[in-house]
Amino acid sequence: MPDPITDLARDLAARFPKAPARTLARRLVEEANGAITLEQARGRMRGQFGVCGAKNRKRQKPSVPRAPRRAGVVYTMPPTKAEAWTPYDMGIVGTIGVLSDIHVPYHSEIALGAAVEDLKSSGIDALVLNGDTVDFYAISRWTKNPKHRNFRGELEQIRQLVAWLRQEFPSIPIVFKTGNHEERWAHWLWAHAPEISDEPEMGLSAWLYLDRHDITLVDNQRPILAGKLPILHGHEKGKGISSPVNQARGAFMRLHHTVLEGHGHRTSGHCEPDMWGSEVFCWSTGCLCDLRPEYARLNKWNHGFAAVTVDADGGFDVSNQRVTADGRVRSS
Ligand SMILES: [Fe+2]
Ligand SMILES: [Fe+2]
């Protein structure tokens, strides 16, 4: 004889196969308009799941069989909020120019001009602006000289630099990777306009006119891959042993992996073989900014840039160049 309450129980079990039997029993009592007690409803639901004892299971075939489990609330793992962090692959076979630490509007006209001329004359297939391309002095959290605090003027010079670079390299992919100085923009927005800080119109692509010049923004501290060579700005490693005597060795000590990075404003290299003779090589590139800024008149910085030639199999060769005070490009 058809039993409408069993039909209701079967339907509930099919719709909510993972819900606790007690929860569904309460729902069954409701849907049956109180025609059965809570204990009877629980028995019906347990019958549908086949968790009502071996003897009963023979009598009533479960519609949604499941293994017996602890009564009451069943906890599941909370969903993660962690976001995927993946490298940005240039996908280039050929030569990639790497310009780090330009710090516009505190760039060195001589060094930047020499680096761009050199890359233009040797011919490159892509260009990476490897972080601290802009200084964002006016929105830094450090104490600022009011004489230099002109964010509008700074922004105009950044846009001019971006337009000039696109003009000099009109038909190759250009990637703009954010360094610690570009991160000042997000930090400033979070402090001053948090409600609209994640609007696309508030992002660096729009504000620096990268989108207008078809320049790709790579943010979130993502490494860039030039073949098998990861390129970092350098601040991604965090603080600690990141300012050693030899920056490239510091990178090796931290990463134990071949890498090319900027951030330290110094040209250096470090090669270390493992026990089987497989070499790990780390490079740091010089900067292209003023070498005597107000906040660090005496330092150990030097001007430089790099060109990375990538083979079809991902193998690469790094040419880590220096630029002399009078604008001559020298190998390191
Ligand atoms: Fe820098
Ligand atoms: Fe930096």
Short mmCIF file of all heavy atoms in Angstrom, two decimals, residues 266-300:
data_model
loop_
_atom_site.label_atom_id
_atom_site.label_comp_id
_atom_site.label_asym_id
_atom_site.label_seq_id
_atom_site.Cartn_x
_atom_site.Cartn_y
_atom_site.Cartn_z
N ARG A 266 71.90 46.92 -7.22
CA ARG A 266 73.30 46.53 -7.38
C ARG A 266 73.44 45.37 -8.35
O ARG A 266 72.68 44.40 -8.29
CB ARG A 266 73.90 46.11 -6.03
CG ARG A 266 73.92 47.22 -5.03
CD ARG A 266 74.45 46.72 -3.71
NE ARG A 266 75.87 46.44 -3.76
CZ ARG A 266 76.56 45.98 -2.74
NH1 ARG A 266 75.97 45.73 -1.60
NH2 ARG A 266 77.86 45.77 -2.85
N THR A 267 74.44 45.47 -9.18
CA THR A 267 74.74 44.37 -10.11
C THR A 267 75.54 43.31 -9.37
O THR A 267 76.57 43.62 -8.74
CB THR A 267 75.58 44.89 -11.29
OG1 THR A 267 74.85 45.94 -11.94
CG2 THR A 267 75.88 43.79 -12.28
N SER A 268 75.08 42.08 -9.40
CA SER A 268 75.87 41.00 -8.79
C SER A 268 75.46 39.65 -9.37
O SER A 268 74.40 39.53 -10.01
CB SER A 268 75.69 40.98 -7.26
OG SER A 268 74.39 40.62 -6.89
N GLY A 269 76.31 38.67 -9.15
CA GLY A 269 76.03 37.32 -9.61
C GLY A 269 76.57 36.31 -8.61
O GLY A 269 77.52 36.61 -7.88
N HIS A 270 75.95 35.16 -8.56
CA HIS A 270 76.44 34.11 -7.65
C HIS A 270 76.12 32.76 -8.26
O HIS A 270 74.97 32.49 -8.63
CB HIS A 270 75.75 34.24 -6.28
CG HIS A 270 76.19 33.18 -5.32
ND1 HIS A 270 77.39 33.23 -4.66
CD2 HIS A 270 75.59 32.02 -4.92
CE1 HIS A 270 77.52 32.17 -3.89
NE2 HIS A 270 76.44 31.41 -4.03
N CYS A 271 77.14 31.92 -8.36
CA CYS A 271 76.95 30.60 -8.94
C CYS A 271 77.31 29.55 -7.91
O CYS A 271 78.35 29.65 -7.25
CB CYS A 271 77.85 30.45 -10.17
SG CYS A 271 77.75 28.82 -10.91
N GLU A 272 76.47 28.55 -7.75
CA GLU A 272 76.77 27.49 -6.77
C GLU A 272 76.30 26.15 -7.33
O GLU A 272 75.11 25.99 -7.64
CB GLU A 272 76.06 27.81 -5.45
CG GLU A 272 76.71 27.10 -4.30
CD GLU A 272 76.51 27.83 -2.97
OE1 GLU A 272 76.67 29.07 -2.90
OE2 GLU A 272 76.19 27.15 -2.01
N PRO A 273 77.23 25.20 -7.47
CA PRO A 273 76.80 23.88 -7.95
C PRO A 273 76.29 23.01 -6.80
O PRO A 273 76.75 23.16 -5.67
CB PRO A 273 78.09 23.29 -8.54
CG PRO A 273 79.18 23.96 -7.78
CD PRO A 273 78.67 25.28 -7.28
N ASP A 274 75.37 22.10 -7.10
CA ASP A 274 74.97 21.14 -6.07
C ASP A 274 75.93 19.94 -6.12
O ASP A 274 76.91 19.95 -6.88
CB ASP A 274 73.49 20.74 -6.22
CG ASP A 274 73.23 19.92 -7.49
OD1 ASP A 274 74.21 19.45 -8.12
OD2 ASP A 274 72.06 19.76 -7.84
N MET A 275 75.67 18.89 -5.33
CA MET A 275 76.65 17.79 -5.24
C MET A 275 76.85 17.04 -6.55
O MET A 275 77.84 16.36 -6.75
CB MET A 275 76.27 16.82 -4.12
CG MET A 275 75.02 16.03 -4.37
SD MET A 275 74.69 14.89 -3.01
CE MET A 275 75.82 13.56 -3.39
N TRP A 276 75.90 17.16 -7.47
CA TRP A 276 76.05 16.50 -8.77
C TRP A 276 76.57 17.46 -9.84
O TRP A 276 76.58 17.14 -11.01
CB TRP A 276 74.72 15.90 -9.23
CG TRP A 276 74.15 14.92 -8.24
CD1 TRP A 276 72.96 15.02 -7.61
CD2 TRP A 276 74.76 13.72 -7.77
NE1 TRP A 276 72.77 13.97 -6.75
CE2 TRP A 276 73.87 13.14 -6.83
CE3 TRP A 276 75.97 13.06 -8.01
CZ2 TRP A 276 74.14 11.95 -6.16
CZ3 TRP A 276 76.24 11.88 -7.33
CH2 TRP A 276 75.34 11.33 -6.42
N GLY A 277 76.91 18.68 -9.40
CA GLY A 277 77.50 19.62 -10.35
C GLY A 277 76.47 20.44 -11.11
O GLY A 277 76.81 21.18 -12.02
N SER A 278 75.22 20.30 -10.74
CA SER A 278 74.19 21.09 -11.40
C SER A 278 74.24 22.51 -10.83
O SER A 278 74.16 22.71 -9.62
CB SER A 278 72.83 20.45 -11.15
OG SER A 278 71.83 21.26 -11.68
N GLU A 279 74.38 23.52 -11.71
CA GLU A 279 74.62 24.88 -11.24
C GLU A 279 73.33 25.66 -11.01
O GLU A 279 72.42 25.64 -11.82
CB GLU A 279 75.45 25.65 -12.27
CG GLU A 279 76.91 25.24 -12.27
CD GLU A 279 77.73 26.05 -13.27
OE1 GLU A 279 77.15 26.85 -14.01
OE2 GLU A 279 78.96 25.86 -13.29
N VAL A 280 73.31 26.36 -9.88
CA VAL A 280 72.26 27.35 -9.64
C VAL A 280 72.95 28.70 -9.77
O VAL A 280 73.99 28.93 -9.16
CB VAL A 280 71.65 27.20 -8.23
CG1 VAL A 280 70.67 28.34 -7.94
CG2 VAL A 280 70.95 25.86 -8.11
N PHE A 281 72.37 29.59 -10.60
CA PHE A 281 72.99 30.90 -10.81
C PHE A 281 71.96 31.97 -10.48
O PHE A 281 70.84 31.93 -10.97
CB PHE A 281 73.46 31.04 -12.27
CG PHE A 281 74.65 31.97 -12.39
CD1 PHE A 281 75.85 31.54 -12.92
CD2 PHE A 281 74.56 33.29 -11.96
CE1 PHE A 281 76.95 32.40 -13.02
CE2 PHE A 281 75.65 34.15 -12.06
CZ PHE A 281 76.84 33.71 -12.58
N CYS A 282 72.35 32.91 -9.63
CA CYS A 282 71.46 34.03 -9.30
C CYS A 282 72.10 35.33 -9.77
O CYS A 282 73.33 35.49 -9.67
CB CYS A 282 71.20 34.08 -7.80
SG CYS A 282 70.36 32.62 -7.18
N TRP A 283 71.27 36.22 -10.26
CA TRP A 283 71.75 37.53 -10.72
C TRP A 283 70.92 38.63 -10.06
O TRP A 283 69.71 38.44 -9.84
CB TRP A 283 71.55 37.70 -12.23
CG TRP A 283 72.35 36.82 -13.12
CD1 TRP A 283 73.56 37.10 -13.67
CD2 TRP A 283 71.98 35.53 -13.62
NE1 TRP A 283 73.97 36.06 -14.47
CE2 TRP A 283 73.03 35.09 -14.46
CE3 TRP A 283 70.87 34.69 -13.43
CZ2 TRP A 283 72.98 33.86 -15.11
CZ3 TRP A 283 70.83 33.48 -14.07
CH2 TRP A 283 71.89 33.07 -14.90
N SER A 284 71.57 39.76 -9.78
CA SER A 284 70.80 40.96 -9.44
C SER A 284 71.23 42.05 -10.41
O SER A 284 72.41 42.12 -10.78
CB SER A 284 71.03 41.39 -7.99
OG SER A 284 72.33 41.91 -7.82
N THR A 285 70.25 42.85 -10.82
CA THR A 285 70.54 43.91 -11.80
C THR A 285 70.71 45.24 -11.08
O THR A 285 70.12 45.48 -10.01
CB THR A 285 69.41 44.05 -12.83
OG1 THR A 285 68.19 44.24 -12.13
CG2 THR A 285 69.30 42.82 -13.71
N GLY A 286 71.48 46.12 -11.68
CA GLY A 286 71.61 47.48 -11.17
C GLY A 286 70.32 48.26 -11.40
O GLY A 286 69.37 47.75 -12.00
N CYS A 287 70.33 49.50 -10.92
CA CYS A 287 69.11 50.32 -11.05
C CYS A 287 69.28 51.34 -12.18
O CYS A 287 70.34 51.40 -12.82
CB CYS A 287 68.85 51.05 -9.74
SG CYS A 287 70.19 52.17 -9.27
N LEU A 288 68.24 52.12 -12.41
CA LEU A 288 68.28 53.16 -13.44
C LEU A 288 67.79 54.48 -12.86
O LEU A 288 67.25 55.33 -13.57
CB LEU A 288 67.44 52.72 -14.65
CG LEU A 288 67.99 51.46 -15.35
CD1 LEU A 288 66.96 50.84 -16.27
CD2 LEU A 288 69.27 51.79 -16.12
N CYS A 289 67.97 54.62 -11.54
CA CYS A 289 67.49 55.83 -10.86
C CYS A 289 68.68 56.68 -10.42
O CYS A 289 69.84 56.28 -10.56
CB CYS A 289 66.63 55.45 -9.66
SG CYS A 289 67.50 54.46 -8.43
N ASP A 290 68.38 57.82 -9.84
CA ASP A 290 69.40 58.70 -9.27
C ASP A 290 70.18 57.91 -8.21
O ASP A 290 69.57 57.25 -7.35
CB ASP A 290 68.66 59.90 -8.65
CG ASP A 290 69.61 60.82 -7.90
OD1 ASP A 290 70.82 60.81 -8.21
OD2 ASP A 290 69.12 61.53 -7.00
N LEU A 291 71.51 58.00 -8.27
CA LEU A 291 72.31 57.22 -7.30
C LEU A 291 72.54 57.97 -5.99
O LEU A 291 73.14 57.42 -5.07
CB LEU A 291 73.67 56.86 -7.93
CG LEU A 291 73.63 55.90 -9.12
CD1 LEU A 291 75.06 55.61 -9.60
CD2 LEU A 291 72.92 54.59 -8.76
N ARG A 292 72.11 59.22 -5.92
CA ARG A 292 72.34 60.01 -4.70
C ARG A 292 71.04 60.63 -4.20
O ARG A 292 70.94 61.85 -4.08
CB ARG A 292 73.37 61.12 -4.97
CG ARG A 292 74.73 60.62 -5.42
CD ARG A 292 75.59 60.18 -4.24
NE ARG A 292 76.84 59.60 -4.70
CZ ARG A 292 77.13 58.31 -4.62
NH1 ARG A 292 76.26 57.46 -4.11
NH2 ARG A 292 78.29 57.84 -5.04
N PRO A 293 70.04 59.81 -3.91
CA PRO A 293 68.76 60.39 -3.46
C PRO A 293 68.90 61.00 -2.06
O PRO A 293 69.81 60.63 -1.31
CB PRO A 293 67.82 59.20 -3.44
CG PRO A 293 68.70 58.04 -3.18
CD PRO A 293 70.01 58.34 -3.86
N GLU A 294 67.98 61.88 -1.76
CA GLU A 294 68.00 62.62 -0.49
C GLU A 294 68.05 61.67 0.72
O GLU A 294 68.70 61.94 1.71
CB GLU A 294 66.72 63.46 -0.43
CG GLU A 294 66.76 64.61 0.52
CD GLU A 294 65.48 65.43 0.40
OE1 GLU A 294 64.37 64.85 0.54
OE2 GLU A 294 65.58 66.63 0.15
N TYR A 295 67.36 60.50 0.60
CA TYR A 295 67.23 59.61 1.76
C TYR A 295 68.39 58.61 1.87
O TYR A 295 68.47 57.87 2.86
CB TYR A 295 65.89 58.86 1.73
CG TYR A 295 65.71 57.96 0.55
CD1 TYR A 295 66.08 56.62 0.61
CD2 TYR A 295 65.18 58.43 -0.64
CE1 TYR A 295 65.92 55.78 -0.47
CE2 TYR A 295 65.02 57.61 -1.73
CZ TYR A 295 65.40 56.29 -1.65
OH TYR A 295 65.25 55.47 -2.73
N ALA A 296 69.27 58.57 0.85
CA ALA A 296 70.41 57.64 0.92
C ALA A 296 71.54 58.19 0.07
O ALA A 296 71.88 57.62 -0.98
CB ALA A 296 69.99 56.25 0.45
N ARG A 297 72.14 59.30 0.52
CA ARG A 297 73.20 59.94 -0.28
C ARG A 297 74.37 58.99 -0.53
O ARG A 297 74.93 58.95 -1.60
CB ARG A 297 73.71 61.19 0.45
CG ARG A 297 72.70 62.32 0.58
CD ARG A 297 72.43 62.99 -0.74
NE ARG A 297 71.65 64.21 -0.57
CZ ARG A 297 70.74 64.64 -1.43
NH1 ARG A 297 70.48 63.96 -2.53
NH2 ARG A 297 70.09 65.76 -1.21
N LEU A 298 74.76 58.27 0.53
CA LEU A 298 75.87 57.34 0.39
C LEU A 298 75.33 55.91 0.38
O LEU A 298 74.67 55.48 1.32
CB LEU A 298 76.86 57.51 1.55
CG LEU A 298 77.57 58.88 1.58
CD1 LEU A 298 78.40 59.02 2.82
CD2 LEU A 298 78.42 59.06 0.33
N ASN A 299 75.58 55.22 -0.70
CA ASN A 299 75.06 53.85 -0.81
C ASN A 299 76.02 53.07 -1.72
O ASN A 299 77.05 53.58 -2.13
CB ASN A 299 73.64 53.88 -1.39
CG ASN A 299 73.60 54.61 -2.72
OD1 ASN A 299 74.28 54.22 -3.66
ND2 ASN A 299 72.84 55.70 -2.80
N LYS A 300 75.65 51.84 -2.01
CA LYS A 300 76.52 51.02 -2.85
C LYS A 300 75.82 50.67 -4.17
O LYS A 300 76.04 49.60 -4.73
CB LYS A 300 76.92 49.76 -2.09
CG LYS A 300 77.80 50.07 -0.91
CD LYS A 300 78.15 48.83 -0.14
CE LYS A 300 79.11 49.18 0.98
NZ LYS A 300 79.45 48.02 1.80
#
